[in-house]
Amino acid sequence: MYSKIFKLVSFLTLFVILLVQNLFTATAGNIPSVKLSDLNGRNIAEQISYFSLVGNTQTFPTNKTTLEALISTLQPHTDTDLGGDKYVAIFDLYNDTQQTEWFIYPYGSVVQHIDIFCFPCNEFNELVTSGHGLSNQQDFHYGSKIEISPGQHKTIAILFDSPYFFSPIKIVVKPFKQAIKLFHIENVLLLMGLGISLALGIYNLFIFTSTRNYQYLTYAFSTLSYASAWAIVFAIPDYLGFKNTLIFALPAFLIGSIFTCFFNIQFLRLDKVSPKIAFSLKIIALIAFVSIPFAFNSYEVGLYLATFSTSITAIIGIYTGVRCWMHGYSPAKYYTLALLSVILPNMVVNLINIEFLPGLNVNIYLLGLIGNCLDSLLLAFALAAQLRILTLKNNELKTNLESKVAKRTAELKEANSKLEKTNNDLFEANNAKGRFLATMSHEIRTPLTSIIGYADGILAGDIDKAEQERVTKIISENGSHLLNVINDILDISKINANKLEFESIPTPLFSVLAQVESLVGKRVRDKGLAFYLDYQYPLPAHINTDPTRLKQILFNITNNAIKFTQKGYVGLSVALINNKLKITVKDSGEGISKEQQIKLFQPFTQADNSINRRFGGTGLGLSISQLLAKGLGGEISFYSEKDKGSVFTLDIMVDVVENTSWINNVAEIWRSTPSRSIQPINIPKFIGNTVLLADDHPNNRELISLLLKRMNIEVTEVENGKQALEVLYRQSFDLILLDIHMPVMDGTVALKHLRTTGNNTPAIALTANTMKHEIEEYMTLGFSDYLAKPINREHFISKLSMFLTMQSDSEQVLSKEEMLNLVSEYQDNLREQLDNINSALIQQDLSLISEIAHNISGSAGSFGFALIGNKFVNIEKYALQDDEIAIAIELPKVVALARQCTDLPCVNIPQGIVNHKNNVELFLKAIYKFAEDAEQIFIQLQDALVNSEMNSALIHLYKLLPSSHECALTDTETALKSMENLLTTGHKNVNDFNPFLNLIEKQITQLNTTLEPNLMNQI
């Protein structure tokens, strides 16, 4: 058994040895044979044998026998070394066709020296030499013509010896006439492509010299560099007599990529559109520039560097071109197509050069040249498209400029016309100004004469005490008249500046008309005239309008009617027609002539100067009324005849209030009109409240201070904002009254400084500027409210009531010390009750909880703990309803809040409550605010002391001192006052302040740890 297996293995081993020997002999000794009928122009490079001649110094054989002997000693050649190689390609041709003339065409790479041997059987060989820069049989093409008779064999040996190979060699055998025809076509394409590129480069170079646009320069140099490189590849300079030019080919490609990078940046405006891509292209250009010496030194290194530089430049160019194209830059489409036309063939060439792709049966270098030529053409189109856009923009700018010139010319003519009209208006206005000044002088001086004269008489004692009341009334009436004159002037100024505000609010129509009737009717009857008010029913009880402006219009019109009517009547008629309120004022006065009617609604004018002398007045009434009527959505019309009276009609669009009643007779008017009883102004008592008053006018300060003191308010007076701040650093107030316009520092600046220090004391602006936008500005700055000058007592008291605490009679009976003792005793009692209710909660004794809650809610308000009493009202309700869940959730929160009113570290709680008008809620809010701000202010105080900034330290100390007093942090207040004494006496040693700082820091920390500000909002 084993002997049989041994014999079988021996047999198979012998068979393999013999087979390998036979194969080796066949490879070494046989030459591949190719039939010419099978070629058809195909590349036969993969079907023939290659043998390396590197290091072989033998003379190439002269006959086929010697050739076969040489082959048997050579090693097979597999890969071509691009840095230099020497090898031979051998194959046998068998002519099985009827053609005798053939052409052997090695192509696809740049090679320095090619020897083509043709061996007849046992006869001396034929030799043809070809190569780059040599005199080839066919211009710009390698190869050799051979003759093979039909049925004949010939052995071909092609010897390649070159220090450079740009890519693997391809070998084609074509019929001679077919090859010549192909070469002629390729030569035409070659020379045409080079010619086009050369022409475009030179043309754009000339464009640059005239335009100085650098994109034409970079385009020209890029095109000429690539054209020169391809011309060297095809050995055109050698053909023209310039020898050894191949060394410049790869540097020329690198130079072309450098200029392409800069052209891309300039043409696509990449410095602005995409700075990062522009920077990348500049880096590539720098790499290409640095690579030039290496390309001169080594063909292989230069080949890889040129391949990288041109490829990456083209790829980035296509990416940026597509982006710009998509963003609407139309020349970028030609730019993108140009790069695609060059990148496709050249990428193929480059990938074949580095052996990433197999070779193709086409002249790849000619394809690369054609791609570069198309690239140059399309880039020229891109430049032309860019120039077209610039031309269109220039034309558009030119058209716009012409249009603007025409428009400006027309505007200038119109302006000249307006200027002429303005000059006339100014002349007329100057005359009107003279009339206005004369009128205002009369209207202002007349009441001032009475005011000053009677006031001087009272001061000098010329007027008896019995007459003083009558005289004072005269002074008041003349002052009111003077105020009306000023208001008329201000109103017309506001209207002309579009600063007068109108509102639309529900208004009782008959109440407004009743006020007009009351005042106007009395004046008419006092003058001995008849008066009537005619309602044309039905009329709505309420309309949406601005009642103040409506009354102002009616008073102006009726005043004019009364003024110019000496006998007869003045009457009003009211109707609602087509949603328009029509109020007609008719009189039997002297009427208005046609000439006078033209200027009736112009400001500062009356019918004639004699009217002003006879009746007085500013001439603003009708002008203001017409403007006000337009503001209410209507107008004033009139009809008048000389000596036959006048009819003025106010028409305004009205919006009837929804669901309002409609009046059909007189009886219904009084039911729809709310009656108002005139109540005397009660002077409230604000005992214990303090007010800081800042006003630069001493008489204003005296008047306001007098009003405040009559209400038992303690007043501190200062003259300007700076003095107000100095007082506020050392003392706290319940309210601040700040005049807006003061010297040294006005009210707005003072308030800004005050708010930045954390002082949130309510502040009221005293101002004569009461326009809506001005009041809104004051509120934005941090004012709490405003009071208009001159001061109206009723408004004044109303505003004070919003910010100060009025004390009842029972409160006035108890002194501050007595109230303090009562609050302290109740605090102890409340603490005991809280302990009891906690025990009841643990035992779930709802009955006991209800009883304790009732006791607290009934007594807390009397001692300043109204907030706590109100919370326990709900607890009592939950307990009575047996709502255990609500008790379990809410009672712990209420108890915790109450504990903050009985057990706060470092705080004299009764004193704090009394300091805040016996209101624990105000006290808690104040101490929450103090705790929130104190920590940061204390840090600033410490830093100022450490840095010896004593003035700053004093400022921060004054931020803490008033609040610590109000919140009754007695120890903290004492420590701050001690530090104040040290600072004001010049102490600068930080160690002197440390005991006080440690105490203050400890108490602020304890307070922040104990307080729970959110409790008040959670319950």
Side-chain angles (χ1 to χ4, degrees), residues 691-698 700-702 704-705 708 715-725 727-728 733 735-743 745-748 750-751 763-767 783 789:
V691 171
L692 174 64
L693 171 62
D695 195 311
D696 63 306
H697 198 288
N700 282 348
R701 284 201 313 275
E702 183 179 359
I704 297 172
S705 179
L708 292 170
V715 186
T716 300
E717 300 178 36
V718 293
E719 296 181 4
N720 54 59
K722 184 178 179 182
Q723 291 178 0
L725 291 178
V727 172
L728 284 164
F733 295 88
L735 182 65
I736 304 169
L737 301 178
L738 272 177
D739 186 23
I740 293 299
H741 298 292
M742 293 184 289
M745 181 184 291
D746 66 23
T748 56
L751 186 76
I764 294 179
L766 302 177
T767 178
F783 279 100
K789 292 182 178 180

Side-chain angles (χ1 to χ4, degrees), residues 996-1009:
F996 308 115
L997 290 172
N998 293 335
L999 172 65
I1000 296 169
E1001 182 178 22
K1002 179 182 177 181
Q1003 296 199 348
I1004 291 174
T1005 303
Q1006 288 178 340
L1007 199 58
N1008 274 313
T1009 305

